[in-house]
Amino acid sequence: MGFKLMRSGIKQASKETILTPRFYTTDFEEMAELVNPANIPQQQQEELEAYLREMKTDYNQRHFVRNEKFKEAAEKLSGPTRKIFVEFLERSCTAEFSGFLLFKELARRLRDVNPTVAEIFQMMSRDEARHAGFINKAMSDFNLALDLGFLTKNRTYTFFKPKYILYTVYLSEKIGYWRYITIYRNLQRNPECQFYPLFEYFEAWCQDECRHGDFLAALLKSKPELLQGPIAKLWTRFFCLTVYITMYLNDHQRSAFYEALGLNTTQFCRHVIIETNNTSKRIFPEVPTVDSPVFWDLMDKMVSVNNQMAAIDNGTSSTPALLQPLAKLALMERLGSLVLRVMLMTPIEAGSYDFENPAELVY
């Protein structure tokens, strides 16, 4: 399939770019202060304890069990679809493993501060490790795998402040839920497009993502300052748009994969973003106006510009080689201006709480 190998059967990780899944780290001391029970209202601490009981149930403990269909399906898959599916597996495995590393470290660092929160993070890392291992095993059906230990030591880690971690990981979990359930429901309607049994696991799988997102929403609610005021509104809208734009550009670079699943890439992305935005309205004080034709026109223009930059990077651009650096610089400026225009669009006021009276939370 043309992939570079580290050694026999071990795929070399794809080059890191601004659009590839990231590994995160944070200020763990600041996070400890954030989740200190002394700084969390009793009502929210009780809600966190309820999530701990939910996570202990481990609904998917016996869900990720393979069968003979996996290898058989892999052997039948060929051509461009085989290659682009392996790329999908790699990206998905990397993203799940990134969550495992972050949650595991948070569990370790927060154990003495807030055992309830620490144990929930430990169980989230359990789920993410299960997902990453299941996907990596699927890659072995194609005689490939990722060296996750090597990634742990050699991947670039992006530093985010704790509150940014909460915003972004909440969005990642919720958008992951909507991606998985949308693919699953489409394949239930169009079983002829289900070319690999991994997708059959998505219905229960996505519930893990949903539970993780709900827990992070509870953490955010325990810190009202993260969900009120002009700064909170700015950050929640910014991270929503960052996640939406990244997904929209990434998926349109891989339209062949979604078409193989019987999906229209643009319709799929728009549905997932709209539903994620609707979900985020329940917690974030402000979200982007994704139901505007202007918003989608700007997003589609970003896709066009991003595809032109990708053509320069992979050597398929018709621009003369001598002019390509200048052409790419102009395209980057164009993409930046489109992103800025989206950022400046009038947002939607949202949020599940009215914090005007701090003595009483009003749903």
Side-chain angles (χ1 to χ4, degrees):
M1 291 180 284
F3 295 124
K4 293 182 179 179
L5 302 181
M6 293 175 57
R7 57 185 183 275
S8 179
I10 303 298
K11 185 184 180 301
Q12 180 176 312
S14 297
K15 181 181 177 181
E16 292 184 61
T17 71
I18 194 171
L19 296 179
T20 53
R22 296 170 178 266
F23 282 18
Y24 292 99
T25 188
T26 190
D27 184 332
F28 294 101
E29 291 184 2
E30 185 179 338
M31 182 67 85
E33 183 66 19
L34 197 70
V35 304
N36 191 316
N39 301 325
I40 296 178
Q42 181 62 29
Q43 181 181 355
Q44 271 63 54
Q45 182 64 28
E46 291 174 359
E47 184 178 1
L48 294 173
E49 290 168 0
Y51 277 111
L52 175 57
R53 292 191 294 272
E54 175 82 359
M55 294 294 289
K56 283 183 175 179
T57 305
D58 195 6
Y59 296 101
N60 286 333
Q61 183 178 16
R62 294 179 175 82
H63 178 64
F64 295 94
V65 178
R66 287 165 51 90
N67 54 47
E68 69 282 353
K69 295 180 181 178
F70 281 77
K71 191 64 177 177
E72 294 173 1
E75 291 172 353
K76 294 177 183 177
L77 202 57
S78 61
T81 303
R82 182 181 178 90
K83 182 176 181 180
I84 203 166
F85 180 58
V86 171
E87 292 172 349
F88 165 80
L89 292 176
E90 179 187 358
R91 292 177 62 82
S92 299
C93 183
T94 304
E96 299 281 4
F97 189 66
S98 168
F100 159 72
L101 292 175
L102 176 64
F103 298 153
K104 182 181 179 182
E105 189 64 13
L106 284 168
R108 187 178 72 85
R109 299 291 192 101
L110 302 178
R111 188 176 299 120
D112 296 332
V113 179
N114 191 326
T116 298
V117 170
E119 192 170 358
I120 295 174
F121 274 124
Q122 182 63 42
M123 293 181 181
M124 289 169 66
S125 74
R126 168 204 69 197
D127 295 341
E128 301 293 331
R130 190 179 284 158
H131 301 165
F134 196 66
I135 297 170
N136 209 21
K137 184 63 177 177
M139 288 186 68
S140 71
D141 292 331
F142 299 86
N143 302 314
L144 292 169
L146 292 177
D147 186 336
L148 299 178
F150 180 85
L151 284 181
T152 303
K153 297 177 181 177
N154 294 278
R155 193 83 169 185
T156 301
Y157 285 74
T158 300
F159 177 86
F160 266 14
K161 290 174 67 66
K163 65 179 182 180
Y164 304 156
I165 288 286
L166 296 182
Y167 293 143
T168 55
V169 179
Y170 166 80
L171 283 165
S172 296
E173 298 289 352
K174 287 301 184 181
I175 207 167
Y177 165 81
W178 282 110
R179 287 172 63 84
Y180 285 167
I181 197 62
T182 302
I183 291 173
Y184 176 82
R185 289 171 178 168
N186 173 73
L187 293 176
Q188 290 300 297
R189 293 190 297 267
N190 303 282
E192 70 280 3
C193 296
Q194 188 152 257
F195 56 77
Y196 190 72
L198 182 80
F199 304 115
E200 297 174 7
Y201 292 73
F202 275 14
E203 184 181 33
W205 187 331
C206 73
Q207 298 304 322
D208 283 344
E209 315 296 336
C210 194
R211 279 186 285 270
H212 297 177
D214 288 344
F215 159 67
L216 291 161
L219 266 186
L220 285 165
K221 286 192 293 183
S222 74
K223 311 300 294 182
E225 65 272 18
L226 300 182
L227 297 174
Q228 63 174 319
I231 301 301
K233 289 181 177 181
L234 177 65
W235 282 121
T236 55
R237 178 158 50 98
F238 170 80
F239 283 114
C240 278
L241 287 170
T242 300
V243 170
Y244 300 166
I245 291 170
T246 300
M247 177 191 138
Y248 206 72
L249 298 185
N250 262 326
D251 287 355
H252 277 86
Q253 282 186 331
R254 296 161 180 84
S255 290
F257 170 70
Y258 297 99
E259 290 169 3
L261 293 174
L263 289 162
N264 176 290
T265 305
T266 298
Q267 292 177 359
F268 168 74
C269 288
R270 291 187 180 188
H271 171 75
V272 169
I273 288 172
I274 288 170
E275 293 299 339
T276 303
N277 208 54
N278 288 337
T279 301
S280 300
K281 285 180 185 177
R282 302 169 191 167
I283 182 69
F284 286 167
E286 205 168 79
V287 295
T289 309
V290 301
D291 56 355
S292 166
V294 175
F295 176 84
W296 295 115
D297 179 62
L298 292 171
M299 293 285 275
D300 288 336
K301 287 177 179 176
M302 287 185 217
V303 169
S304 176
V305 173
N306 188 60
N307 288 343
Q308 292 177 64
M309 290 195 297
I312 291 175
D313 290 338
N314 61 32
T316 60
S317 174
S318 59
T319 304
L322 191 63
L323 299 177
Q324 285 185 4
L326 288 175
K328 187 170 182 180
L329 181 61
L331 289 168
M332 291 173 66
E333 291 177 351
R334 171 65 173 156
L335 184 60
S337 69
L338 291 169
V339 171
L340 181 60
R341 288 175 63 186
V342 168
M343 294 284 183
L344 294 177
M345 288 182 65
T346 303
I348 298 173
E349 295 284 336
S352 63
Y353 285 141
D354 178 357
F355 285 111
E356 291 182 3
N357 180 3
E360 181 179 3
L361 297 178
V362 181
Y363 282 93

